[in-house]
Amino acid sequence: QIRFILIQNRAGKTRLAKWYMQFDDDEKQKLIEEVHAVVTVRDAKHTNFVEFRNFKIIYRRYAGLYFCICVDVTDNNLAYLEAIHNFVEVLNEYFHNVCELDLVFNFYKVYTVVDEMFLAGEIRETSQTKVLKQLLMLQSLE
Amino acid sequence: MALKMVKGSIDRMFDKNLQDLVRGIRNHKEDEAKFISACIDEIKHELKQDNIAVKANAVCKLTYLQMLGYDVSWAAFNIIEVMSSSKFTFKRIGYLAASQCFHEGTDVIMLTTNQIRKDLSSPNQYDTGVALTGLSCFVTPDLARDLANDIMTLMSHTKPYIRKKAVLIMYKVFLKYPESLRPAFPRLKEKLEDPDPGVQSAAVNVICELARRNPKNYLSLAPLFFKLMTSSTNNWVLIKIIKLFGALTPLEPRLGKKLIEPLTNLIHSTSAMSLLYECVNTVIAVLISLSSGMPNHSASIQLCVQKLRILIEDSDQNLKYLGLLAMSKILKTHPKSVQSHKDLILQCLDDKDESIRLRALDLLYGMVSKKNLMEIVKKLMIHVDKAEGTTYRDELLTKIIDICSQSNYQYITNFEWYISILVELTRLEGTRHGHLIASQMLDVAIRVKAIRSFAVSQMAMLLDNAHLLTGNTQRNGICEVLYAAAWICGEFSEHLEEPMQTLEAMLRPKVTTLPGHIQAVYVQNAVKLFATVLARQEGAGDRQAAQETTELLIEKLPQFVQSSDLEASCILQLIKYIQKLQAKEVSVSEEVSALFAGELNPVAPKAQKKVPIPDGLDLDSWINKPLREIESEDEKPRAVFQVEEPQHSRPRVPEIDEKELAKRREVRKQEQASNPFYIKSSPSPQKETANVDHIPVVQIDLTVPLKVPGMPMSEQYVKLEEDRRQKQKQDKKKDKKKKKEKEKKRGKGRRLDSAHTESEEDIAPAQSVDIMTEEMPENALPSDEDDKDPNDPYRALDIDLDKPMVDSDKLPVQTHRPTEGLKSPDPVAGVEEQDEKKSSKKIKKDKERKDKERKKSKEEKKKKKHRKSTPGEEEEGQVEKPAPAAAESKITALPTAPPTEDFDLDFWLSSAPVPSQSQPELVDPAPSSEPEEPKDEEEREESKSSKHKKQQHRKEKEEKSKKKKKKKHQDEGKAKSVQNGTLEEEEEPLPPMTNYSLLAENSDIKMVSTGQQGARMV
């Protein structure tokens, strides 16, 4: 089960934070900083997994952005790694060659994408076509 | 009106939108805080306006600020306002803000209940969807209770989009409101066979998550999941199902047997690494659950180990890591299969990634034997040297100690070697684990009697060279070792060659720079040493020297008096008194020694917990009047992630009868008799002393001179040990030739030639090691429930779902409800009735099916006869009855095999071995008719409440199933184009996704099907 999803840039600025567990605000900031600290020190030679408190973080770096998913230790690392990639591919498709600024200026849309793909800590939809179709539908309602 | 609108749009023109805010923040890098506080003022102003668009814009900006870590909780009420806007765009902003900002403590959250309910039943599926998504983030126990029924209704919504969301959110509802699990479970189960694969997979996800926490309640679903596993081609779903099976197999080994074949098939056929890995994991779980006496499974183990080796050898760090991780699971049950890969694992110790090295260390832990321990530790010591100044080195240190001390020092053949390893480890400056080394030293010295004299000599040297450890800076960590050294030298001072020298070392002025608790130990043990020295000196008749010793103490002790520990001043007084006595020419040594008479035995860590609380003692009551509350909350940082260790004293049974009291008294007396700390007339009989004399102590001629600590010396032991073993072997050979018969008497009955192959048992320990067991109170039970965490939130979900439902198992239904929306099928009353009906109907249905089954299998007939004889279906009492009856009648008496089950688990498990995946329809003939039934039934039931709607619903369903095939092909086509990597990676401004290809190397980027059915259903 996913505990939280974070997108941070190299400087540690949060670009997205989605929580599937309840934390108070201070705790959230602490987690964000901790994740940033453990993830940024790692380079390409390292695994994409970090043991984190009594969970683990599956992360992947795309350009200057770190996409991190915190899951239970028993969860399948590779599946979540692929989920991250799937997510990034959808973003890429949705924003037409996504870059960090897209995520900043459209942060609420990014949340919508997350909500279409993940829900209540589970992977909800894995088909990119379906997600994109849904996203376009939602956009047309605006 | 028009004027207002114009005014509104003018207002908006002056408002900053989100883009401005973001840009502003980027442009005010220096004075960000100031800029943002200005923005917040502006936002506050905007929130006061009537225009909802302005408000929504403000809330949107707040959400952004919240993400950056600013407190926006003050705007909770405005968020609710925006949530209740009728316009979807605003509503969505509101729900997003709520899901980011609200938590259980948010007080206005209770105001949202009706709004959310209205949105849930909105005719617009997007309103419903957005409400569901939001709710999943901020659901509270109250919301869960009030809305459970509405969400459950949505699980049968016409749109799969909503059904899917509702199913997933149900899990959150269960967590917050566990009572909802039983009433909702039947419908959740139905969703496993939903026509929409997405809904299906959502249901799989939820049940997997539930089952992971409380597997036994879901064992009865195994046949259904098995069917899904053999028919599904969606790897995401497969992974979940296979993980679920991993949790179930420990409970039911027969299930494991059934799984092995399809899983090994998957391992062979799949190209998706994630799936492969999950399969391997579950196969390992199966193998662990099966008794090891099954020879034909060695093939599966080999397959797993072989696949894992491939992963470990892979250049992809991720795979390497996971391979090691999984390997350590095999290690527990099949150490032999793993041990042959020792070299590979030692290689991983050199890896760049620390997590890989740590996993390799974990593996080493399980791979040591008496034979290779020294060698492995030697390698690790080399790594320790290399790892200077990293946290990894600390990790290595703990691992070395773990490895050596595991299972009561099982693998240590030479404790002198171990002590010298520990002494070598004290050279590590700045380690955090000084106390760990110290406790090992103490443990070994206390429990391995034969080693004491060696240990004492080493410790004396440590004390002598204490300045090396403390250095010029006060390194917290390693000086802890001196604590152990001082204690060992004091307690076992009879083994000291030159106690006087050690005593002097302990009284050096430098000692006062040590932490207080160590100083205290120094002082205590200085007195112990003093007693020994006195005894020796007086024994030799040298009163002059004895008085000089006292003199020395009196001179040196005052330097400790300033320390925070009281110890020193007390002892100073004592020594002064002794001096007076000595002045009178009284021999004092005996009496001083008597202060420390008696031996201290090791006490098991849990012993204290096991001591029953004496009657009449209430540990929670105050001894004195309570002091005023001190705010202690700040002291303890409450880590959200870490489960706090329960420190409760065991719950006291309030009323105890006389017998129990008498018994307890008896127990307590016994305990006092055996308690070393309980003052009594004669010293307790030593259990172990008797043994020691019997064991012949092997003399080791110490060719190695005792060295100054700080110089590595453990290495010599490796060589020495080899020689010794060699010699032992030769001796044994000689022995055997001479005393073959004696050998046989000992029951070993080894053959002569077996001496060539050195087995574990052949290596006799160098020291006669008498490892004392730790003391426990006599009535302590070995079993432990201490480890269970009473605060586990998932405990509440441990609900037996197979019991038929009773009246109390109903979801609360709100009586005053907003008028219903059009599409959502509804059922204020419907659900209630439905639940009741369902439980009785299920039984009926169950019986019908049972009849069918009986025809199929005669064996089953016998078992079920009992059940058949229970007559009637509609009477209330009947609902309860079948459960116990059925359980009794089963041969295996599976507690989980329920009467209201769709499949008879026992029957399923006992049936002939499963055919391989290629013929899934043969898997289980019995349930083949099942999938349709529950759906129809449900529709029938629901049609009563809303016939009209339902017809539509059914039509849609039918159409869908027709379309499904077509769709599948389309999807496939689309998917393929994505798979084939037309992702324009080069053009992407976020560069390379390329290292992803590690995973996609063998497969496509996406998870691909197992190849069996070919189609991708994602």
Side-chain angles (χ1 to χ4, degrees), chain B residues 684-849:
Chain B
S684 64
Q686 275 292 319
K687 285 174 227 155
E688 286 81 7
T689 34
N691 297 342
V692 178
D693 303 331
H694 290 296
I695 302 170
V697 178
V698 180
Q699 277 295 326
I700 326 155
D701 43 343
L702 272 179
T703 47
V704 192
L706 296 179
K707 288 201 174 177
V708 182
M711 302 297 289
M713 53 184 296
S714 61
E715 273 176 36
Q716 270 97 339
Y717 282 101
V718 180
K719 180 79 180 67
L720 210 68
E721 182 70 12
E722 264 166 33
D723 293 347
R724 192 179 66 82
R725 284 181 194 172
Q726 200 63 34
K727 209 175 145 201
Q728 226 176 35
K729 236 195 308 191
Q730 282 166 358
D731 285 352
K732 239 177 219 165
K733 263 187 201 168
K734 275 183 219 158
D735 268 12
K736 271 178 196 158
K737 273 174 194 165
K738 285 177 193 167
K739 308 173 185 176
K740 247 191 193 172
E741 273 152 45
K742 216 177 180 181
E743 272 284 290
K744 273 179 195 166
K745 252 185 217 169
R746 274 190 236 158
K748 296 207 175 179
R750 251 190 248 114
R751 284 195 201 138
L752 246 176
D753 55 356
S754 73
H756 295 290
T757 55
E758 194 180 22
S759 76
E760 284 278 288
E761 287 85 350
D762 279 334
I763 307 167
Q767 283 88 359
S768 62
V769 176
D770 166 35
I771 297 178
M772 297 198 279
T773 47
E774 294 159 325
E775 289 193 345
M776 286 286 267
E778 308 211 332
N779 56 344
L781 293 169
S783 74
D784 258 44
E785 286 174 10
D786 307 341
D787 307 327
K788 282 198 178 169
D789 177 11
N791 295 328
D792 185 2
Y794 303 106
R795 251 196 173 179
L797 288 180
D798 191 0
I799 296 167
D800 187 359
L801 296 165
D802 297 327
K803 266 196 262 163
M805 270 186 280
V806 290
D807 285 351
S808 60
D809 287 329
K810 256 181 236 159
L811 293 173
V813 178
Q814 209 77 4
T815 38
H816 300 291
R817 291 166 53 86
T819 41
E820 287 308 44
L822 287 173
K823 274 188 190 167
S824 82
D826 165 336
V828 180
V831 170
E832 255 186 290
E833 282 167 35
Q834 220 170 290
D835 283 350
E836 271 175 311
K837 257 185 239 156
K838 226 176 242 170
S839 55
S840 59
K841 264 197 184 167
K842 271 260 164 88
I843 291 167
K844 194 174 171 184
K845 195 180 78 188
D846 190 49
K847 273 174 63 76
E848 284 170 10
R849 210 201 58 243

Side-chain angles (χ1 to χ4, degrees), chain B residues 249 252-261 286 289-290 909:
Chain B
T249 43
E252 179 51 270
R254 286 178 298 172
L255 175 62
K257 269 187 235 165
K258 220 169 166 121
L259 284 171
I260 286 269
E261 200 188 323
V286 167
S289 74
L290 292 175
L909 286 168

Side-chain angles (χ1 to χ4, degrees), chain B residues 43-61:
Chain B
I43 289 171
K44 278 183 179 161
H45 178 71
E46 286 168 21
L47 286 173
K48 279 182 197 140
Q49 298 186 26
D50 283 338
N51 191 327
I52 191 73
V54 177
K55 271 186 189 167
N57 182 44
V59 165
C60 187
K61 286 192 278 186

Side-chain angles (χ1 to χ4, degrees), chain A residues 45-88:
Chain A
K45 292 261 184 220
H46 288 79
T47 58
N48 292 85
F49 321 129
V50 198
E51 283 148 59
F52 183 75
R53 303 205 187 174
N54 41 358
F55 294 93
K56 61 188 175 193
I57 287 173
I58 318 292
Y59 76 95
R60 222 177 137 71
R61 185 178 154 177
Y62 293 91
L65 288 178
Y66 289 91
F67 290 71
C68 310
I69 294 189
C70 177
V71 293
D72 292 348
V73 252
T74 48
D75 281 318
N76 188 313
N77 299 30
L78 295 176
Y80 285 103
L81 197 57
E82 296 189 40
I84 291 178
H85 190 65
N86 202 17
F87 174 53
V88 174

